[in-house]
Amino acid sequence: MEDSVFIGGGGENYAVKQGLTLKYANRHGLVAGATGTGKSVTLQILAEGFSKAGVPVFLSDVKGDLSGIAAAGSETFKLHQAFSDRAAKIGFDDYGYEAFPVTFWDLLGEQGHPVRTTVAEMGPLLLARLLELSEAQEGILNIAFRLADEQGLPLLDLKDLQALLVWVGENRKDLALRYGAISVASVGAIQRRLLILENQGGAKLFGEPALELTDIMMIDADGRGRINILAADKLMGSPRLYATFLLWLLSELFEELPEVGDPDKPKLVFFFDEAHLLFEDAPKALVDKVEQVARLIRSKGVGVYFISQNPSDIPEDILGQLGNRIQHALRAFTARDRKQLRLAAETYRDNPRFSTEDAIREVGVGEAVTSMLMKKGVPGIVERTLIRPPSSKLGPIDPSDRKQVINTSPVAGKYETLKDRRSAYEILKLRAEKAATDAEALEAQEEDMPVHEREFNAGRRYSGTRVTRSTSRTTRKQDSFGEAMGKMVMKELSGTTGRKLVRGILGSLFKGR
Ligand SMILES: Nc1ncnc2c1ncn2[C@@H]1O[C@H](COP(=O)(O)OP(=O)(O)OP(=O)(O)O)[C@@H](O)[C@H]1O
Ligand SMILES: [Mg+2]
């Protein structure tokens, strides 16, 4: 079992050890099953196993019942006997209780370290999805991103995007020459969407310091991979935010990590719980990109495991890429259920000892139909596997213990304070103020002039010819001001986020168009 993560016992009397081969763990996986059939515990033991093998893990805790991974199980726990019996049955001889190294994260910053990204890093495609924009509105968002890039306006938080949209609205007549008509109604609609997102807690996701990926890929001094747990219980109230955030994280991993080919074990294993949320009324373009990311992220050494009640929740192209499968029981009440069950069974390599379809219907709680990739990446024959019991605590950790884990984590203090450096909002505000004082100064200056000169100037100003106006003093002054701004922005761009801003807008998978 050395090169694999121990899953449980299969074969006759569950006596044959079953494992997930580390070498193929980057070929993704699926954990499926109806409510209460054992998906969460399976997730827990997989996280434990990967951690022990020195592989960092990222998972979201949708119901708040996975935080116990940070604490050891206990002999006084009501299921202690059941766990021990199960361990004995599958020949898990060195079964014992232990805690695992956990880093807690929370988009809302309450139950873990705040996790943030910038508006620029999220990019227009994912933001449009997050805001549920129409095609026309998405077009305007794209223009806004392009302008921010051209004008050197860093988009860090929602305030920046809001200020930029105001600016786009104000300048829409000039912009129309280059980009076509920009409707006030559409700009307004995006602004309203941003307000909704803000009310859902979305403002907390955007800003700096942004998450550094190395912080979710840590290995402890004792060689165990850290398990990153994202608090997602409250987040599930805004499913779009949840799904888009995880998708962003995946695409970020894909873009930032170097190629490693097929490593002996993954660099990171990423669990995508409630995966159906990702695909619910998702446009084809998005599904295609998820499929593409899943296919390509393998060679970066990242294994992605989708967790869902029913495999039919996941688009076929993606399902086909999930090599390691743990299928808990599916219900078969309706004709539709039975059809889905049959389809699910058809995707496995049959075991002569039993019918896959019957097995998927019959397996008990904490038991599953499993098929792991074997030599040369070929799917193994289906087994009925009794899943091993967890070594860490089943259920949520005590709030005081959680606090302790957060305070002593390797990233404690790094993300807690929001940094609000100069970005689009501040720059646009400064520009507006500067333009106002310039205009005032010019007016005051003119009042001091002899009457005939003032009249001449006034006449010139009202001559209506653009040529004269563009060489007027105010504009020139603004230009040199713009230059100074430009230099300042370039300085800011030399920071990480600045570089990312440019990259974020110039393209790559999710970010450009
Ligand atoms: N591998 C296991 N070893 C021991 N007990 C298990 C195992 N798997 C499941 N159980 C028992 O079954 C219960 C339900 O499992 P679990 O919470 O994992 O189900 P679930 O599929 O995640 O349900 P839900 O859809 O409601 O989240 C557990 O609380 C535990 O008591
Ligand atoms: Mg569960």
Side-chain angles (χ1 to χ4, degrees), residues 232-448:
D233 46 346
K234 281 195 192 155
L235 194 56
M236 295 319 285
S238 342
R240 237 340 127 80
L241 184 58
Y242 166 80
T244 314
F245 169 73
L246 289 190
L247 189 52
W248 165 77
L249 189 50
L250 260 189
S251 68
E252 201 64 13
L253 285 165
F254 167 72
E255 277 161 27
E256 297 279 306
L257 298 183
E259 287 285 324
V260 290
D262 268 320
D264 292 340
K265 61 185 180 192
K267 301 286 176 202
L268 177 76
V269 168
F270 187 105
F271 290 99
F272 206 130
D273 205 348
E274 302 286 346
H276 66 280
L277 291 175
L278 184 54
F279 305 112
E280 250 164 30
D281 10 271
K284 171 121 187 5
L286 188 83
V287 175
D288 286 350
K289 289 202 168 168
V290 176
E291 191 268 334
Q292 206 178 349
V293 168
R295 185 155 36 80
L296 298 173
I297 207 169
R298 230 177 79 175
S299 61
K300 312 265 173 149
V302 179
V304 183
Y305 289 69
F306 290 99
I307 296 117
S308 203
Q309 297 220 345
N310 202 303
S312 64
D313 296 337
I314 295 166
E316 219 160 299
D317 287 347
I318 294 170
L319 201 58
Q321 292 187 50
L322 310 181
N324 300 294
R325 299 194 180 186
I326 302 182
Q327 172 70 65
H328 289 281
L330 286 178
R331 314 255 176 265
F333 298 136
T334 66
R336 190 161 162 266
D337 290 346
R338 285 190 289 276
K339 190 175 160 217
Q340 286 183 347
L341 200 150
R342 199 159 50 242
L343 287 175
E346 274 172 12
T347 60
Y348 290 94
R349 262 180 77 194
D350 278 330
N351 186 324
R353 283 178 36 242
F354 56 84
S355 135
T356 308
E357 197 180 323
D358 292 348
I360 296 178
R361 195 168 38 230
E362 288 164 8
V363 282
V365 173
E367 189 185 351
V369 168
T370 61
S371 166
M372 303 293 158
L373 292 179
M374 316 291 282
K375 243 187 219 123
K376 299 210 167 101
V378 174
I381 285 175
V382 157
E383 285 291 345
R384 269 183 80 147
T385 302
L386 193 61
I387 307 293
R388 57 155 275 217
S391 298
S392 51
K393 179 183 160 121
L394 184 80
I397 191 174
D398 300 330
S400 63
D401 290 344
R402 184 180 195 120
K403 218 167 242 150
Q404 165 84 7
V405 170
I406 295 169
N407 291 338
T408 56
S409 102
V411 296
K414 180 170 175 180
Y415 294 101
E416 271 63 16
T417 322
L418 184 75
K419 270 193 274 175
D420 194 7
R421 74 181 161 98
R422 194 195 298 268
S423 51
Y425 168 79
E426 289 82 6
I427 296 173
L428 287 170
K429 196 167 141 224
L430 253 181
R431 263 193 209 174
E433 282 165 8
K434 180 77 179 157
T437 44
D438 279 353
E440 257 170 45
L442 192 69
E443 240 166 64
Q445 202 181 11
E446 288 186 345
E447 265 162 29
D448 294 339

Side-chain angles (χ1 to χ4, degrees), residues 7 31-45 62-63 65-66 77-79 82-84 86-87 90 95 273-274 307-309 328-329 364-367 385-390 394-395:
I7 305 288
V31 178
T35 311
T37 53
K39 295 184 301 294
S40 293
V41 177
T42 294
L43 207 69
Q44 184 163 356
I45 64 105
V62 167
K63 290 200 178 144
D65 57 357
L66 285 170
F77 181 55
K78 61 176 193 290
L79 291 178
F83 286 2
S84 306
R86 184 182 278 252
I90 60 176
Y95 177 61
D273 205 348
E274 302 286 346
I307 296 117
S308 203
Q309 297 220 345
H328 289 281
V365 173
E367 189 185 351
T385 302
L386 193 61
I387 307 293
R388 57 155 275 217
L394 184 80

Side-chain angles (χ1 to χ4, degrees), residues 23 62 112 122 131 149 164 166 198 249 285 320 420 437 455 470:
K23 190 168 168 353
V62 167
M122 172 115 352
L131 298 170
D149 191 28
L164 182 65
V166 169
E198 210 173 347
L249 189 50
D420 194 7
T437 44
E455 279 175 351
S470 70

Side-chain angles (χ1 to χ4, degrees), residues 66-305:
L66 285 170
S67 54
I69 297 178
S74 155
E75 288 177 11
T76 58
F77 181 55
K78 61 176 193 290
L79 291 178
H80 167 65
Q81 196 54 50
F83 286 2
S84 306
D85 292 348
R86 184 182 278 252
K89 198 167 195 172
I90 60 176
F92 189 2
D93 300 328
D94 51 356
Y95 177 61
Y97 294 126
E98 63 181 308
F100 286 79
V102 166
T103 310
F104 287 113
W105 300 95
D106 184 0
L107 254 60
L108 306 174
E110 291 162 8
Q111 302 183 73
H113 306 291
V115 35
R116 294 188 203 89
T117 177
T118 62
V119 168
E121 279 180 61
M122 172 115 352
L125 178 66
L126 285 181
L127 256 177
R129 164 93 175 138
L130 181 58
L131 298 170
E132 302 180 51
L133 300 187
S134 70
E135 219 166 288
Q137 294 157 0
E138 190 178 343
I140 291 174
L141 195 64
N142 275 303
I143 294 171
F145 267 74
R146 171 91 69 89
L147 286 166
D149 191 28
E150 286 172 5
Q151 303 263 327
L153 302 169
L155 294 177
L156 305 181
D157 48 25
L158 289 187
K159 213 160 65 215
D160 291 328
L161 190 55
Q162 275 151 348
L164 182 65
L165 285 167
V166 169
W167 188 81
V168 167
E170 285 170 357
N171 293 281
R172 65 180 197 287
K173 295 225 172 79
D174 296 335
L175 294 172
L177 295 173
R178 284 180 58 201
Y179 299 107
I182 292 172
S183 98
V184 202
S186 295
V187 174
I190 305 176
Q191 282 164 328
R192 280 191 298 280
R193 292 290 182 174
L194 280 173
L195 273 182
I196 296 173
L197 176 64
E198 210 173 347
N199 292 339
Q200 291 172 338
K204 294 215 167 118
L205 171 59
F206 297 101
E208 287 182 326
L211 176 70
E212 279 180 46
L213 295 180
T214 45
D215 287 341
I216 59 164
M217 300 181 71
M218 286 191 184
I219 294 167
D220 270 19
D222 61 3
R224 289 187 302 174
R226 284 194 81 84
I227 300 172
N228 298 274
I229 300 183
L230 177 76
D233 46 346
K234 281 195 192 155
L235 194 56
M236 295 319 285
S238 342
R240 237 340 127 80
L241 184 58
Y242 166 80
T244 314
F245 169 73
L246 289 190
L247 189 52
W248 165 77
L249 189 50
L250 260 189
S251 68
E252 201 64 13
L253 285 165
F254 167 72
E255 277 161 27
E256 297 279 306
L257 298 183
E259 287 285 324
V260 290
D262 268 320
D264 292 340
K265 61 185 180 192
K267 301 286 176 202
L268 177 76
V269 168
F270 187 105
F271 290 99
F272 206 130
D273 205 348
E274 302 286 346
H276 66 280
L277 291 175
L278 184 54
F279 305 112
E280 250 164 30
D281 10 271
K284 171 121 187 5
L286 188 83
V287 175
D288 286 350
K289 289 202 168 168
V290 176
E291 191 268 334
Q292 206 178 349
V293 168
R295 185 155 36 80
L296 298 173
I297 207 169
R298 230 177 79 175
S299 61
K300 312 265 173 149
V302 179
V304 183
Y305 289 69

